[in-house]
Amino acid sequence: MTPYEYQTKNGRRYRVAYRTPDNKQHNKGGFTTKSEARSWYRRKMIEIENHGFSDNDQVTFEEVANRWLDNKKHTVEGSTYRKYESECKNHLLPALGNRAIKEIKVNDCQLLVYQWANQLKFFNKLINDAASIFDLAIKYKLIFDNPFRQVERPKVHNKKKIRSFTRAEFNQFQQGLRKQYKDSNYKAFAFLFILSHTGLRKSELSALTWNNVDFEHGFLKIKKAVTRDTDNHLIIGKTKNIYSVRNVPIGQQTIQVLKKWRLVQQKELQYFNVNSLKPSQLVFTSQQGGILSPSKPGKWLKVIEENYNLPLYVTPHGLRHTYTGLLIDKGINVNKVASVLGHKDASITIQVYNDLHPVKDNSIGNIIENL
């Protein structure tokens, strides 16, 4: 590399040219001597070789983790990024942050895994995130092996139990819903009624707009969901996955509930000078027309459970599981149920159903003997 000379109003200066890993050429000028230009060039080449790190031998886990988080910020939804950020801040960085990444060995990681497994239910998620950070270090040629890919994961037996209403409890819930809210809080009544009659996720129903309600053919067109950005603000974003974009059938009762709610909503929002007649108007909003608080449906449901002697463990998402179980109990094809729910395939739907309804009838044991 030979610096080349050019003239400025302040006198002679030198410039150097260099290429980055993407093969783009760059120039850096303003050096007063060739020696200064060559010195800068050598430092820049080391930096490029180290992918922006000043000294490979001293690069810490935290430096790579921050680069990994920056990549995540540009590739995942804001709410997902916040989870990654929280996991790093609260668990990964306190344990490994200031250590040189080259010095972290398999035994160090294994001891951490045992510690996390004893303290945290989501320890497997931490292992996956840590392994992903070490994978990035390998990509940057800071290390050659990933110690978190070699650890033994403890077996866990604390699988979270899926909660839902039985058929009798569901009927009791419907009666309680009408008595509690139909005349006093139609928004709460309509939201919980639709949630329990469609199997929607509450984030999907909260993002539904009136132009995606097909009254004529009886469908809700699910295209968006409420999520959070990187600053933890509520936004209308993408659905959970591509399979969640779907048309959900609705019956005549649900259509009538929606039609009445639209009239009620118009009066409520008119008070706050919100134009509720625009096609993109959210079906359910906060009092002043913004995104409905995610905690509201749970609070509404809790009141019914407490007042009508229902299990207190069923959440709004538990209504989705209830919907799943009731449809399959009625003999609806599992593949159709999976499609309505937005599951990738029927195996997920079957797993939910089996967790809710373990086999209790031993008559199947006699079938093979009677062939």
Side-chain angles (χ1 to χ4, degrees):
M1 182 282 308
T2 302
Y4 59 91
E5 178 185 321
Y6 64 98
Q7 294 294 327
T8 72
K9 64 180 180 179
N10 295 320
R12 180 186 302 168
R13 294 290 184 269
Y14 294 91
R15 186 188 306 274
V16 291
Y18 64 94
R19 288 187 180 276
T20 48
D22 56 8
N23 206 34
K24 291 182 179 179
Q25 182 165 314
H26 302 267
N27 294 281
K28 172 68 175 177
F31 303 107
T32 56
T33 66
K34 285 186 177 181
S35 176
E36 183 184 1
R38 289 193 181 100
S39 178
W40 182 91
Y41 178 82
R42 285 193 293 270
R43 291 195 303 272
K44 188 64 179 179
M45 290 300 98
I46 292 172
E47 182 180 329
I48 290 173
E49 179 66 23
N50 293 345
H51 297 273
F53 299 108
S54 58
D55 185 348
N56 273 4
D57 289 331
Q58 297 303 315
V59 175
T60 65
F61 177 87
E62 183 173 7
E63 289 180 271
V64 184
N66 287 337
R67 191 73 64 85
W68 179 78
L69 279 174
D70 190 55
N71 292 343
K72 291 297 183 184
K73 184 179 287 188
H74 296 90
T75 56
V76 300
E77 291 293 317
S79 57
T80 304
Y81 171 79
R82 294 282 296 185
K83 293 176 184 177
Y84 285 131
E85 185 181 48
S86 175
E87 288 157 5
C88 279
K89 178 181 177 181
N90 296 324
H91 302 286
L92 299 182
L93 295 185
L96 300 167
N98 62 356
R99 296 188 58 180
I101 200 160
K102 291 182 72 171
E103 301 302 321
I104 300 173
K105 306 301 181 184
V106 176
N107 186 57
D108 301 319
C109 300
Q110 187 68 66
L111 291 175
L112 260 181
V113 168
Y114 289 144
Q115 178 183 326
W116 290 339
N118 287 331
Q119 298 173 352
L120 305 165
K121 291 182 179 180
F122 57 92
F123 75 92
N124 273 309
K125 181 74 168 62
L126 292 180
I127 297 173
N128 294 338
D129 290 349
S132 183
I133 291 169
F134 275 90
D135 282 341
L136 185 62
I138 292 173
K139 180 179 178 180
Y140 288 159
K141 299 180 182 178
L142 300 173
I143 56 175
F144 298 101
D145 296 303
N146 188 333
F148 271 99
R149 299 291 182 197
Q150 302 173 53
V151 297
E152 297 290 335
R153 300 189 186 219
K155 291 184 178 180
V156 292
H157 304 284
N158 58 344
K159 184 178 178 182
K160 187 176 180 181
K161 183 174 176 60
I162 295 175
R163 303 292 192 176
S164 71
F165 289 135
T166 64
R167 184 181 300 185
E169 289 167 346
F170 179 74
N171 291 333
Q172 190 172 344
F173 159 74
Q174 292 295 319
Q175 293 173 15
L177 177 61
R178 287 177 168 82
K179 292 177 181 178
Q180 186 69 41
Y181 292 126
K182 191 171 184 181
D183 296 326
S184 62
N185 185 349
Y186 203 80
K187 180 195 292 185
F189 170 76
F191 193 98
L192 293 177
F193 185 94
I194 295 165
L195 209 63
S196 62
H197 283 73
T198 59
L200 292 180
R201 301 175 178 94
K202 69 176 182 180
S203 61
E204 295 170 341
L205 183 52
S206 297
L208 183 67
T209 53
W210 284 113
N211 59 349
N212 283 314
V213 178
D214 185 347
F215 287 110
E216 182 179 355
H217 300 99
F219 285 99
L220 303 180
K221 300 175 182 179
I222 306 304
K223 299 179 180 180
K224 299 286 184 179
V226 170
T227 183
R228 291 184 183 272
D229 62 17
T230 54
D231 295 319
N232 208 33
H233 298 138
L234 291 174
I235 60 170
I236 305 297
K238 297 179 181 178
T239 55
K240 185 176 182 180
N241 52 54
I242 59 173
Y243 306 99
S244 299
V245 178
R246 64 200 189 279
N247 290 342
V248 176
I250 53 176
Q252 284 303 311
Q253 288 186 49
T254 305
I255 289 174
Q256 293 308 312
V257 168
L258 279 164
K259 286 182 175 180
K260 181 174 179 180
W261 165 239
R262 191 170 198 183
L263 296 174
V264 174
Q265 183 192 52
Q266 288 172 6
K267 293 179 181 179
E268 288 187 359
L269 294 183
Q270 187 177 19
Y271 181 81
F272 294 98
N273 296 318
V274 177
N275 177 18
S276 63
L277 298 177
K278 58 183 183 290
S280 60
Q281 172 62 47
L282 291 170
V283 175
F284 292 98
T285 69
S286 65
Q287 190 177 33
Q288 297 182 346
I291 296 174
L292 183 70
S293 169
S295 64
K296 276 288 186 184
K299 292 177 181 177
W300 292 333
L301 178 57
K302 195 78 170 178
V303 172
I304 298 173
E305 291 173 342
E306 290 175 344
N307 291 347
Y308 294 91
N309 196 31
L310 287 164
L312 299 178
Y313 51 69
V314 177
T315 64
H317 198 74
L319 295 178
R320 176 174 165 87
H321 295 317
T322 302
Y323 176 86
T324 303
L326 293 176
L327 287 185
I328 295 177
D329 276 348
K330 274 295 192 179
I332 306 299
N333 181 278
V334 175
N335 288 311
K336 287 185 178 179
V337 177
S339 179
V340 170
L341 292 171
H343 286 162
K344 180 180 179 180
D345 55 58
S347 65
I348 301 171
T349 314
I350 292 170
Q351 182 63 56
V352 171
Y353 181 78
N354 287 343
D355 286 346
L356 291 171
H357 302 275
V359 176
K360 296 180 180 179
D361 182 3
N362 75 338
S363 61
I364 195 170
N366 297 315
I367 293 177
I368 194 68
E369 296 179 5
N370 295 326
L371 290 177

